[in-house]
Amino acid sequence: GAGVSQSPSNKVTEKGKDVELRCDPISGHTALYWYRQSLGQGLEFLIYFQGNSAPDKSGLPSDRFSAERTGGSVSTLTIQRTQQEDSAVYLCASSSLLRGGGAFFGQGTRLTVV
Amino acid sequence: DQQVKQNSPSLSVQEGRISILNCDYTNSMFDYFLWYKKYPAEGPTFLISISSIKDKNEDGRFTVFLNKSAKHLSLHIVPSQPGDSAVYFCAAQGNTGNQFYFGTGTSLTVIP
């Protein structure tokens, strides 16, 4: 497709389980971002990939969170030993290097930890 | 520490009138500012951006104003339409990287 695709759209998991969230960015976009939005909060930066450079992981809230981007395209965000405070909408976005061109977001994955 | 702030969580405006959404930032190294619109159950959609070398950018009914000395920007929507009802996020991009810093959003309701 032409846009950013995320899967699954919804995920309910038990506390303590691991989850994987997937993002397919727009073809040709070298930058990929993960954000999350908790209830009533803004968008919280998690991690940023740019080409073959080392990712900016400064936003990951704990070592239970990790992400990888294979072949400069698809990205997977993994949350280990999920906690209830991990419940949020996880948003992936991609962009070209054009400054000011904005990032294009997927529809998000709503994660609920019960 | 929130580097981009939207102090109004909500705003209601009559259809046809002007909507003004405000945003403040703290980091003088930001060089691009963007506005996004978000409907429920969808990802944010890019609306309009402005470079720090400009003070105004217009696109149809949407105009963004930047006041660098005050570290303040605003989005004007005129005339407002019911379909504009959504959450609007302000974002900023630094000149040392491509990370976007987002505000907490303002929920706009345009009343028919």
Side-chain angles (χ1 to χ4, degrees):
Chain A
V4 177
S5 178
Q6 290 186 247
S7 60
S9 55
N10 281 284
K11 176 73 176 178
V12 180
T13 190
E14 292 181 351
K15 179 181 172 180
K17 300 279 190 182
D18 298 352
V19 294
E20 283 189 353
L21 312 180
R22 177 186 168 102
C23 173
D24 282 276
I26 292 173
S27 178
H29 279 187
T30 57
L32 186 147
Y33 313 79
W34 282 99
Y35 287 84
R36 73 176 177 182
Q37 185 179 21
S38 303
L39 191 63
Q41 303 297 312
L43 277 69
E44 176 189 4
F45 168 75
L46 296 177
I47 188 169
Y48 160 62
F49 296 90
Q50 175 57 62
N52 294 321
S53 303
D56 176 355
K57 303 179 181 180
S58 60
L60 295 178
S62 78
D63 59 7
R64 296 186 296 104
F65 288 72
S66 63
E68 62 177 20
R69 189 179 184 191
T70 54
S73 180
V74 171
S75 178
T76 303
L77 177 69
T78 301
I79 309 173
Q80 296 178 311
R81 305 181 302 282
T82 52
Q83 303 295 312
Q84 287 185 328
E85 61 262 28
D86 300 335
S87 296
V89 176
Y90 289 80
L91 291 157
C92 174
S94 70
S95 73
S96 67
L97 287 178
L98 180 63
R99 300 283 289 167
F104 295 84
F105 282 82
Q107 82 283 8
T109 294
R110 180 174 296 278
L111 175 67
T112 304
V113 182
V114 298
Chain B
D1 184 31
Q2 193 77 19
Q3 298 191 56
V4 178
K5 300 177 184 179
Q6 293 175 259
N7 293 319
S8 297
S10 63
L11 174 68
S12 290
V13 172
Q14 286 290 133
E15 180 179 5
R17 306 294 288 268
I18 185 170
S19 296
I20 300 176
L21 298 102
N22 293 302
C23 178
D24 297 291
Y25 62 95
T26 58
N27 190 339
S28 58
M29 302 302 286
F30 289 146
D31 65 346
Y32 269 98
F33 302 89
L34 309 95
W35 284 94
Y36 285 81
K37 175 180 181 179
K38 185 180 183 301
Y39 293 117
E42 294 183 11
T45 303
F46 170 69
L47 261 182
I48 190 170
S49 66
I50 187 168
S51 163
S52 61
I53 64 173
K54 296 186 175 181
D55 55 17
K56 176 182 175 181
N57 189 25
E58 188 173 354
D59 184 2
R61 296 185 296 113
F62 301 90
T63 303
V64 55
F65 294 93
L66 176 62
N67 182 336
K68 281 192 298 182
S69 61
K71 293 191 176 66
H72 177 85
L73 66 154
S74 61
L75 175 68
H76 293 210
I77 307 173
V78 56
S80 301
Q81 299 173 353
D84 295 331
S85 297
V87 176
Y88 288 79
F89 288 96
C90 169
Q93 196 172 24
N95 61 6
T96 58
N98 284 333
Q99 184 192 138
F100 295 90
Y101 297 85
F102 284 86
T104 52
T106 296
S107 178
L108 173 66
T109 301
V110 179
I111 304 165

